[in-house]
Amino acid sequence: MGQTLTGLLTSVRAIAGRPGTPAPGRPGGGPDPALLAALRLCGDHLAALAAAGPLTDARRTRLIASIGALTTACSTPGADAFDALLRTGQQALDSGGETEARLALALADEATAMRTRSKGAWRLRGNALDALGRGEEAITAYERHLALQQNTAASRDVERRIATLRAAGDRIDEALALFRKTARAGAEAAGAGTEAVAVAAGAEASRAAARLSRHLPAAAARAAFTDLVRLRTAEHGAGDPAVRRLAALYAEHRRLSDRDPMADPLLGGAEPIGVPGLRRLVAGRTVCLVADTPRTAEQERRPGSSLAALIQGYDLVVRCDEPRHTAPAARTDLHACTLRGDTPWKGPRWDRRAGVRLVFGDPLPHWRLALRGRLVPGAQDRVGDATLRRPLHDPALLGEAADAEGPASTAYTVLRLLDFLGTPARVDLIGFEGPAALSPREREWVGTRTANTDDTAVRIALR
């Protein structure tokens, strides 16, 4: 990949570095200046990737492939380079991360400059701004997309997203109006004997309110909103009616935005992720659940193994419970485990690296104790919140009655949750045979949804 990446970067520089001369194979003139600018942006991104070292992320590998397709289109007569540009922008957005989202926005800017009436370009720009937390700007781009979109059915999700972003901004506006109203009332009621501490607290809250605006990036608005609620609660107490309403507005704003939540100090320095966040995480992605068996672990460790290559090709790799055979450094994008026994908070700590960690358990106090006692700071980026702790039995999710045959396996719980979310492009089971086989009831459910089983009996494709 290193040599391929270097060769692609050379090709990009060769085309984008000559904006004033015709491109090879393009008689009559070179690519559009905006297209050349987009290629230069891609070249800068490729250079940063090359400097970062070997690539292990399948999504970034696909982004590089998209840049390669764009480069080919720019030097091929008759090729539709504009569509290749949009695909590259979308792939950058799908790769995740702020750097890729900024690349997607920059490519969308060039696309809208090339074709101001392209609904695809405006939607890409809206999605990129949305991913960067710039909600008000995203609304403007989404509205341009809707003005050009003739298919009303295809635009419903955009309309819903606009409504959600506006509702989140409205909560900020209402919170600021409430603050101004209560601040005026407090100033009128305060006499000469107002304590200095109260005055200082009110001044701090005023500064927090002055920082808060619906036009701020999401992270900055969330931080200012958090400070305002904290300071007003300290000043007036949680029982004050205005404070209760302010806290309710804050909760609604967090629920509506639900992007990059504030870190919970009880979650080992990780950030909580709920049902909406998990749904977005798996949307359009290929997912595999890998069994912890000696055979699977041995093949994963073997250099050049076809099974290892197969697993690395998925967007999300899921592993369950406490691994006994899997190598400590094995890729784990999502780790799920089920709390069992009377004192689940006394189990071994979850120190293996995972992008997301889901902990299934009941009752709620035991679940909280387990998170506080077993999470290791830095071992995960996000942790499933309480809305994801019992997906099979939670009325808001699957709402099934407890099975008399005993608790479900963790793998089965994950499968049912992914099936409920309904957004992954594909879900595969790898290595679930022999000792790792599911229970008869669980196998029956899997069998009704199995698309195919490959010849090696290693992979079961559910979607």
Side-chain angles (χ1 to χ4, degrees):
M1 175 56 72
Q3 185 176 3
T4 303
L5 180 58
T6 303
L8 177 58
L9 178 57
T10 301
S11 298
V12 169
R13 296 300 194 204
I15 298 173
R18 300 174 306 180
T21 60
R26 287 210 168 212
D32 186 288
L35 197 57
L36 290 172
L39 266 182
R40 283 192 288 272
L41 292 167
C42 291
D44 293 342
H45 188 74
L46 290 175
L49 289 178
L55 290 174
T56 58
D57 191 327
R59 289 169 291 181
R60 287 183 174 176
T61 302
R62 284 194 288 273
L63 173 57
I64 293 171
S66 293
I67 294 175
L70 174 61
T71 305
T72 301
C74 288
S75 59
T76 303
D80 193 344
F82 185 79
D83 280 354
L85 173 60
L86 293 185
R87 287 193 295 270
T88 302
Q90 186 58 52
Q91 190 59 62
L93 200 56
D94 292 343
S95 296
E98 183 176 349
T99 300
E100 285 75 14
R102 292 188 183 281
L103 174 62
L105 176 59
L107 297 181
D109 287 342
E110 301 302 336
T112 54
M114 290 175 65
R115 298 185 187 179
T116 58
R117 295 187 58 79
S118 167
K119 58 181 182 289
W122 283 108
R123 179 159 186 176
L124 176 62
R125 190 172 197 276
N127 289 340
L129 288 165
D130 200 355
L132 290 167
R134 295 160 61 177
E136 294 298 311
E137 295 175 84
I139 289 174
T140 301
Y142 283 147
E143 287 177 334
R144 291 289 299 271
H145 164 81
L146 291 178
L148 297 166
Q149 177 62 269
Q150 301 300 316
N151 185 348
T152 55
S155 63
R156 285 172 186 157
D157 59 335
V158 176
E159 292 171 347
R160 285 193 296 269
R161 187 58 189 161
I162 289 176
T164 299
L165 290 171
R166 281 184 172 151
D170 291 344
R171 300 306 185 273
I172 291 178
D173 289 345
E174 185 177 345
L176 290 173
L178 176 65
F179 172 77
R180 287 190 288 267
K181 178 181 177 181
T182 54
R184 282 196 301 269
E188 293 171 359
T194 300
E195 296 182 4
V197 174
V199 172
E204 279 193 82
S206 296
R207 286 193 290 271
R211 296 199 314 271
L212 182 59
S213 168
R214 68 185 299 158
H215 298 285
L216 285 174
R222 193 162 49 245
F225 209 159
T226 301
D227 286 345
L228 179 61
V229 174
R230 176 178 58 81
L231 292 167
R232 294 302 273 180
T233 302
E235 183 180 0
H236 297 287
D240 182 81
V243 172
R244 288 203 303 269
R245 178 55 187 160
L246 183 64
L249 290 170
Y250 172 76
E252 291 175 19
H253 177 265
R254 285 289 303 273
R255 177 182 60 81
L256 289 165
S257 56
D258 193 41
R259 284 188 183 275
D260 189 23
M262 297 291 287
D264 186 338
L266 300 179
L267 298 183
E271 297 164 349
I273 183 172
V275 174
L278 184 62
R279 179 178 282 115
R280 283 197 297 270
L281 176 70
V282 301
R285 307 278 172 80
T286 56
V287 183
C288 71
L289 276 72
V290 182
D292 180 41
T293 65
R295 177 187 175 192
T296 303
E298 189 275 332
Q299 291 189 53
E300 270 199 272
R301 286 192 292 264
R302 186 189 306 162
S305 164
S306 59
L307 181 63
L310 172 67
I311 292 173
Q312 289 302 316
Y314 286 89
D315 296 321
L316 292 172
V317 176
V318 182
R319 302 182 194 271
C320 300
D321 296 318
E322 298 299 324
R324 292 177 296 171
H325 308 288
T326 305
R331 174 187 164 196
T332 305
D333 300 307
L334 189 153
H335 172 242
C337 57
T338 301
L339 301 178
R340 306 188 191 278
D342 296 330
T343 56
W345 55 88
K346 293 184 179 179
R349 304 193 77 189
W350 298 306
D351 56 0
R352 292 203 178 205
R353 186 76 179 94
V356 177
R357 202 176 306 279
L358 299 182
V359 181
F360 305 132
D362 212 20
L364 180 59
H366 288 189
W367 178 82
R368 286 175 173 162
L369 283 173
L371 260 60
R372 294 172 185 177
R374 298 177 64 180
L375 286 176
V376 175
Q380 58 280 311
D381 300 319
R382 287 179 279 186
V383 177
D385 66 13
T387 65
L388 289 167
R389 68 183 178 86
R390 49 194 297 267
L392 292 180
H393 310 307
D394 190 332
L397 298 177
L398 291 164
E400 296 181 352
D403 197 312
E405 297 180 15
S409 69
T410 303
Y412 178 72
T413 302
V414 172
L415 287 173
R416 294 296 306 276
L417 177 59
L418 293 174
D419 184 70
F420 172 82
L421 296 176
T423 55
R426 175 173 179 162
V427 180
D428 288 352
L429 287 169
I430 294 180
F432 282 83
E433 73 274 355
L438 303 174
S439 70
R441 173 177 60 92
E442 295 172 351
R443 286 201 303 270
E444 180 181 356
W445 182 89
V446 170
T448 62
R449 287 159 176 80
T450 297
N452 65 282
T453 303
D454 66 7
D455 295 336
T456 63
V458 170
R459 178 169 59 169
I460 304 171
L462 298 183
R463 290 179 188 272

